[in-house]
Amino acid sequence: MLTVNEAKNIGIRACIEKIGLEFCKQHADNATSGFSEEDGYVNCFVGVNDKPAKQYNISEVNKLVLTSGEKWPYAARCNVSLINGNVEFYELRRPN
């Protein structure tokens, strides 16, 4: 049996490798990862954008700006079993 943290590390690493380790390193300043636990699995996500991040001028914005609407052209999602650490991918996006 794995801990949530162990499963998260396995899943995030697997997603990075699926997208491409060197590519993810190259664009690390415009990438994100996340995870959640549900029904004996840890769901992991890595998203990478190879375009420059949109710059917000905070002095011109009168409300909170969240980037949850960010589109990640390169993305991978997987589930990691807490029982045995098996990784199952269910999404992979890579343009071209």
Side-chain angles (χ1 to χ4, degrees), residues 12-40:
I12 297 294
R13 180 69 182 193
C15 287
I16 289 170
E17 289 176 358
K18 195 68 131 171
I19 294 169
L21 178 59
E22 290 306 314
F23 180 82
C24 288
K25 284 181 180 179
Q26 182 181 1
H27 300 288
D29 60 337
N30 200 12
T32 192
S33 65
F35 74 99
S36 63
E37 178 188 5
E38 187 175 328
D39 297 330

Side-chain angles (χ1 to χ4, degrees):
M1 185 93 173
L2 278 71
T3 67
V4 170
N5 195 52
E6 289 169 331
K8 173 197 73 160
N9 290 338
I10 290 169
I12 297 294
R13 180 69 182 193
C15 287
I16 289 170
E17 289 176 358
K18 195 68 131 171
I19 294 169
L21 178 59
E22 290 306 314
F23 180 82
C24 288
K25 284 181 180 179
Q26 182 181 1
H27 300 288
D29 60 337
N30 200 12
T32 192
S33 65
F35 74 99
S36 63
E37 178 188 5
E38 187 175 328
D39 297 330
Y41 290 90
V42 173
N43 174 278
C44 299
F45 170 81
V46 172
V48 182
N49 192 338
D50 59 344
K51 306 290 188 270
K54 182 176 179 179
Q55 299 298 314
Y56 294 95
N57 185 341
I58 265 317
S59 65
E60 296 174 1
V61 177
N62 61 4
K63 61 183 178 180
L64 179 63
V65 176
L66 301 175
T67 60
S68 63
E70 181 76 39
K71 302 298 182 209
W72 304 104
Y74 297 83
R77 291 183 193 268
C78 69
N79 284 326
V80 180
S81 169
L82 288 170
I83 295 171
N84 57 23
N86 286 346
V87 177
E88 181 181 324
F89 285 94
Y90 64 92
E91 180 182 5
L92 177 61
R93 278 195 315 255
R94 293 186 291 200
N96 299 337

